[in-house]
Amino acid sequence: METPGFGIPPRLARSMSMAEQHEYLRRALSRRRVVTGAGGLAGGLLLAGCSESGGPGRTDDSSADSVSPAPTGAAAFGRHLAFGADPRSQMRVGWQLPLPVRRPYVRFGTEDGDLGGRVEAEIRPLKTPALSGLPALEQHYVHASLDGLAPGTAYVYGLGHDGFDPASRDAAGHLATFRTAPAGPRRFVFTAFGDQGTGSAARATTRGIRDLPGGPPAFHLHAGDICYAEDSGRGLESDHYDARVWDRFMRQIDPVSSRVPWMPAMGNHDMEAWYSPDGYGGQRARWTLPGNGFDPREAPGVYSFVYGNVAVVALDANDVSYEIPANLGYTDGAQARWLDRRLGELRGAQGVDFVVVFFHHCAYSTSTHASDGGVRGHFTPLFDKHRVDLVINGHNHVYERTDALRAGALTRPLPIGGSADPERDGAVYVTAGGGGRKLYDFTAPDSYEGRRRDRDVVHTFAWTRDGEKAPEDVEWSRVRYTGYSFLAVESRPGTSPALRVAAYAEDGRRIDRFELVRGR
């Protein structure tokens, strides 16, 4: 994100981590302020970075009482839900406002017209300086935590502030609904994709989620590269950045995310280097996600939750990526240590049949970015150790699915319509990066339901620690589809619990299906 006439020389930037770049710019801007007396640009670097419990870094102007009120009925947009640590009793409600307001809040209840509950909300202003020839911008993100909810219950909610009550008769069109997780195992469906962005294809995949035959999913997993406000994806201060893209994105997903918890992981395009040393300052303003037990401020896209009989773990692959090393090692191994501990806890937890992990950079893929050796080295041995069932990635803008794998080797072919036992056969890896951004391609022909073109071997590569592409020939690339798509996973608990996994093209055609069964 290069300020005209003021930035890091590109050759120097390539040799620096994101934190080093951030510190370089902060010092340079401080010197500029001393010389010129200008405070606007440097002031724009400060963000009220908050975790689920608030967290340090909040500036005084984040107080709801310190801003001027907006006109009555200032229209909220970009509503998005997320689970708290316990999806049975906790929901986090986020939204955006075009102007600051006084004392925002959420009203909620279990029936239309009965919005007796009221929870105060927190404003997290996000200030972006003038970058890439664009004007400075201030965005107003608002968050409220609803706790003590009843399991398996539908709630109605509305967003208010001083001068606007969502419980009023003329505000009925502003209400939305959500449902908490059930108290015990029940059949449910969740969806997933990555690399969405904005535009017609991105809107189509959003509609696909909304229009599932059985109704909207219980939750949606977004495997990183969320909106592409940062369009270079290198994690450099000189990358082009337009914060206004977030406004378009939040409006785009509102019809689904206002009713379905939208649970993101962080991709390389989600490292926005201007906001904080790790590039996630903006994400901390936009999302409230479950904590992770080692420090959510350090890794906002690292968390876990349990819904019914399925445990879900989100990871930040930027921490281990050899391909794009801007944040390589930024948690100093804390994420991997947490992952080892958390997977052990979840695998031993009563009522948990399946463990699903999702993150951005691919462990096993043959498309444009191929596979990341850092992910393989730091994450996949832990997946094998703790018998993870399903791994979902983005990054490659295609759909690709492996056979069952353990230690990187094919253990069991898994044809379209086939079945595997993850305890015996290993995990299945799905690249679901066709969420809406420009598509990539494969070195081998597409092969999917209705058009099978099986290949014994596919030529590809994996990224090494020194940033090189190591060629490899692989046998595990079972399904390949060059097109926009999303994943739908149905959990069926019982004596032989199963995950029925299907992938759908943007026009509704099914392109893949398989089943993971435990204890058969």
Side-chain angles (χ1 to χ4, degrees), residues 365-367 442-444 455 457-461 471-474:
S365 182
T366 66
S367 186
F442 294 100
T443 59
R455 280 287 184 94
V457 174
V458 175
H459 305 293
T460 182
F461 66 90
E472 59 181 21
D473 293 334
V474 302

Side-chain angles (χ1 to χ4, degrees), residues 65 148 217:
D65 291 327

Side-chain angles (χ1 to χ4, degrees), residues 181-194:
R186 296 287 188 277
R187 175 194 168 277
F188 70 92
V189 174
F190 70 88
T191 54
F193 60 58

Side-chain angles (χ1 to χ4, degrees), residues 403-405 409-415 419-421 424-425 478 520:
D403 292 310
L405 302 180
L410 188 157
T411 60
R412 181 183 180 87
L414 185 56
S419 179
D421 180 349
R424 179 193 65 204
D425 303 324
R478 178 58 55 184
R520 60 179 184 174

Side-chain angles (χ1 to χ4, degrees), residues 263-321:
M263 310 299 292
M266 298 295 116
N268 54 296
H269 285 271
D270 304 318
M271 298 184 290
E272 300 165 341
W274 271 93
Y275 294 124
S276 62
D278 60 10
Y280 297 137
Q283 308 300 353
R284 294 186 185 98
R286 299 180 191 107
W287 310 99
T288 297
L289 300 167
N292 55 34
F294 67 90
D295 192 348
R297 292 169 300 165
E298 293 300 320
V302 181
Y303 56 89
S304 67
F305 62 90
V306 176
Y307 190 105
N309 67 331
V310 177
V312 178
V313 179
L315 298 177
D316 181 7
N318 292 319
D319 182 32
V320 299
S321 173

Side-chain angles (χ1 to χ4, degrees), residues 245-465:
V245 177
W246 278 104
D247 297 347
R248 297 196 293 273
F249 178 80
M250 291 299 191
R251 292 182 188 276
Q252 173 184 276
I253 67 171
D254 182 289
V256 175
S257 61
S258 60
R259 293 166 171 79
V260 173
W262 195 275
M263 310 299 292
M266 298 295 116
N268 54 296
H269 285 271
D270 304 318
M271 298 184 290
E272 300 165 341
W274 271 93
Y275 294 124
S276 62
D278 60 10
Y280 297 137
Q283 308 300 353
R284 294 186 185 98
R286 299 180 191 107
W287 310 99
T288 297
L289 300 167
N292 55 34
F294 67 90
D295 192 348
R297 292 169 300 165
E298 293 300 320
V302 181
Y303 56 89
S304 67
F305 62 90
V306 176
Y307 190 105
N309 67 331
V310 177
V312 178
V313 179
L315 298 177
D316 181 7
N318 292 319
D319 182 32
V320 299
S321 173
Y322 291 165
E323 179 195 5
I324 301 171
N327 259 348
L328 179 60
Y330 84 102
T331 71
D332 196 26
Q335 179 179 203
R337 292 190 293 273
W338 171 84
L339 177 62
D340 191 10
R341 181 174 68 253
R342 188 62 181 140
L343 287 178
E345 293 168 349
L346 293 170
R347 182 48 73 201
Q350 184 176 4
V352 171
D353 294 317
F354 295 99
V355 177
V356 176
V357 181
F358 76 108
F359 51 93
H360 188 62
H361 300 265
C362 296
Y364 299 101
S365 182
T366 66
S367 186
T368 301
H369 290 291
S371 308
D372 198 304
V375 172
R376 291 183 181 180
H378 292 85
F379 288 167
T380 60
L382 297 176
F383 301 161
D384 292 338
K385 174 182 176 181
H386 297 287
R387 297 299 192 257
V388 166
D389 301 280
L390 178 65
V391 179
I392 301 169
N393 301 134
H395 201 40
N396 283 303
H397 301 180
V398 292
Y399 177 84
E400 186 172 17
R401 194 255 296 166
T402 72
D403 292 310
L405 302 180
R406 181 161 290 143
L410 188 157
T411 60
R412 181 183 180 87
L414 185 56
I416 295 169
S419 179
D421 180 349
E423 179 68 29
R424 179 193 65 204
D425 303 324
V428 175
Y429 293 77
V430 175
T431 298
R437 198 64 171 177
K438 182 179 178 181
L439 295 168
Y440 294 168
D441 53 20
F442 294 100
T443 59
D446 278 14
S447 181
Y448 53 90
E449 186 170 3
R451 189 185 179 219
R452 289 183 57 177
R453 303 287 189 275
D454 289 336
R455 280 287 184 94
D456 292 333
V457 174
V458 175
H459 305 293
T460 182
F461 66 90
W463 291 93
T464 67
R465 181 61 188 256

